[in-house]
């Protein structure tokens, strides 16, 4: 059995090696790049915002 490495992306849900961590939530490089290029008028923008809502600011931060 092959062991998975990496982290699960909060946007696409896939296990990836490279990306960023924001308040302990991982976003893969591919999703990060797509989010940066997405225009606010694009329908995908709302999808990304919805996924990013999973990242909450910690209380007493």
């Amino acid at each position: 059995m092959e062991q998975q490495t990496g982290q699960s992306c909060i946007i696409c849900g896939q296990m990836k090696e490279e990306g960023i961590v924001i308040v302990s939530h991982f976003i893969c490089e591919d999703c990060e790049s797509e989010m940066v290029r997405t225009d606010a008028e694009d329908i995908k923008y709302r999808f990304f915002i919805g996924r990013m809502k999973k990242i909450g600011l910690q209380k007493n931060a």
Side-chain angles (χ1 to χ4, degrees):
M1 185 183 309
E2 213 176 285
Q3 185 178 12
Q4 290 185 349
T5 59
Q7 299 181 61
S8 178
C9 176
I10 66 163
I11 305 297
C12 67
Q14 295 182 20
M15 296 296 287
K16 299 281 181 100
E17 293 281 331
E18 301 293 323
I20 61 172
V21 176
I22 302 174
V23 191
S24 76
H25 294 278
F26 179 73
I27 300 173
C28 74
E29 240 177 18
D30 296 332
C31 289
E32 177 192 3
S33 294
E34 189 173 356
M35 287 184 346
V36 170
R37 289 189 311 260
T38 300
D39 187 80
E41 302 299 319
D42 192 314
I43 194 146
K44 284 191 278 184
Y45 185 80
R46 284 192 175 167
F47 169 77
F48 291 136
I49 294 299
R51 293 291 191 178
M52 293 290 291
K53 285 183 180 179
K54 291 181 179 181
I55 300 175
L57 296 178
Q58 295 177 352
K59 292 181 181 178
N60 301 322

